[in-house]
Amino acid sequence: MFNYYCPPRIMPAVVHPTKCCVTHTVQDVIVPHVFPTHTTHVNHHVFHQQNYFPHTESCVNQTDPGTVCNFFDPVKPHGPKCC
């Protein structure tokens, strides 16, 4: 018996489509949102106008001297005489 060695025949490689593998990583990122608020306090002063009308009164006592006697009557030299 003869032992003959026959090397295997090699065919060209069959290339399949590339298998895509995806890995995900997560990184937390803080984005500050600022909502400012401003309050203005307005103080109102309301003036209520009040009108005053002061009034005064007075009283005057008046006397009427009537007829004045003439103590020095040149016509009648006998002393004072009232009318």
Side-chain angles (χ1 to χ4, degrees):
M1 271 207 357
F2 295 102
N3 235 343
Y4 290 104
Y5 174 73
C6 290
R9 295 185 344 190
I10 299 177
M11 299 285 294
V14 177
V15 179
H16 295 274
T18 303
K19 178 182 177 183
C20 292
C21 298
V22 177
T23 61
H24 294 274
T25 58
V26 176
Q27 182 179 7
D28 290 334
V29 176
I30 297 174
V31 178
H33 293 265
V34 178
F35 301 95
T37 301
H38 174 76
T39 301
T40 299
H41 298 280
V42 178
N43 295 316
H44 296 276
H45 298 280
V46 178
F47 291 95
H48 298 279
Q49 304 296 330
Q50 293 184 353
N51 298 318
Y52 294 96
F53 301 95
H55 178 76
T56 59
E57 293 184 11
S58 63
C59 180
V60 176
N61 293 321
Q62 184 176 0
T63 57
D64 186 10
T67 305
V68 178
C69 296
N70 189 353
F71 292 101
F72 303 103
D73 191 0
V75 179
K76 298 180 182 174
H78 296 295
K81 180 180 178 187
C82 287
C83 304

